[in-house]
Amino acid sequence: FTQGAAPRWGYRHGDSGSGHLTDEIDFKDYMEPFHGGKDSFFALSTVAHLPSGIQSTRLGMLTDSLNSVSNALCPASGPDGWSAWWVDESHPHRRAGREMLAFYHKYVLQNDATTGTALAPVTLAFVQGARFAVSRERILKRPRAYYEALLARVSKARDPLEGFFLEAMWHDIFHPERVQAAAPLCEYMPLPESLAAM
């Protein structure tokens, strides 16, 4: 869950000690019992459109001077709580967007739509740095074989590309009743016109 030290607020590009926490979330938020009958804690910090690989970042991770903050799943200010869409040509989501989309359908959704057909684009919101908490009951909603299949995909190399894929897919892995291929988790900034028609 953590990279050897308690995570902290903010993101600094290229700094492995960067916190990846958003808004006013603290490490203890992950350690407290879940509230309101929930059985997981995800505060989404990034969203990626596949297969294009463009991304948007939750503003609460970029600045600590927002008027409206939230440690909920989505930003308090709806679509205005996200940055404009941006692209990093060297990012794995950009370089391998089609492969990532196929991985999502085959291994996370477990559908066979990947055989010879065009896959519908999907927008995946996720917690950068894979910082989340889930209950035992939530984990057990999927059979052991499901997790073994995912583990097999990331066990073939020291730093597999599929590890980047999974970072963006943990919510859907643990919430099969609320996958993002069916409906977005939050309201985001509108996609660029060139992608909106996809």
Side-chain angles (χ1 to χ4, degrees), residues 34 39-42 132-139 174-175:
F34 303 115
D39 57 3
S40 66
F41 179 75
F42 282 75
F132 59 86
V134 292
S135 69
R136 178 180 189 271
E137 293 77 18
R138 171 94 12 220
I139 293 167
F174 290 118
H175 297 86

Side-chain angles (χ1 to χ4, degrees), residues 139-153:
I139 293 167
L140 294 175
K141 286 187 182 272
R142 299 269 199 184
R144 180 179 175 151
Y146 177 85
Y147 297 111
E148 288 173 343
L150 291 175
L151 180 61
R153 304 309 310 161

Side-chain angles (χ1 to χ4, degrees), residues 23-190:
D23 292 67
E24 291 186 357
I25 295 173
D26 190 80
F27 188 61
K28 71 177 182 343
D29 291 321
Y30 296 93
M31 302 293 112
E32 293 177 358
F34 303 115
H35 300 286
K38 295 181 180 176
D39 57 3
S40 66
F41 179 75
F42 282 75
L44 303 171
S45 58
T46 305
V47 59
H49 176 272
L50 299 175
S52 71
I54 65 170
Q55 298 185 54
S56 176
T57 305
R58 187 174 180 152
L59 295 179
M61 193 166 77
L62 302 175
T63 180
D64 60 358
S65 61
L66 292 176
N67 291 329
S68 178
V69 296
S70 166
N71 68 355
L73 183 71
C74 302
S77 49
D80 292 332
W82 297 95
S83 73
W85 291 93
W86 54 269
V87 65
D88 175 351
E89 294 294 343
S90 66
H91 196 282
H93 297 171
R94 178 70 169 184
R95 289 185 293 117
R98 293 200 183 286
E99 295 91 333
M100 190 172 172
L101 185 60
F103 181 97
Y104 176 71
H105 279 274
K106 185 171 185 177
Y107 297 105
V108 176
L109 299 181
Q110 294 187 314
N111 67 35
D112 290 325
T114 58
T115 311
T117 60
L119 298 173
V122 67
T123 301
L124 294 177
F126 60 98
V127 183
Q128 203 172 40
R131 308 245 195 252
F132 59 86
V134 292
S135 69
R136 178 180 189 271
E137 293 77 18
R138 171 94 12 220
I139 293 167
L140 294 175
K141 286 187 182 272
R142 299 269 199 184
R144 180 179 175 151
Y146 177 85
Y147 297 111
E148 288 173 343
L150 291 175
L151 180 61
R153 304 309 310 161
V154 295
S155 297
K156 297 178 181 178
R158 183 173 182 168
D159 188 16
L161 183 60
E162 292 87 353
F164 288 97
F165 297 175
L166 285 175
E167 178 188 32
M169 299 172 188
W170 286 119
H171 181 277
D172 289 18
I173 290 167
F174 290 118
H175 297 86
E177 76 286 354
R178 192 177 179 196
V179 296
Q180 295 174 80
L185 298 175
C186 304
E187 291 181 85
Y188 312 115
M189 293 295 279

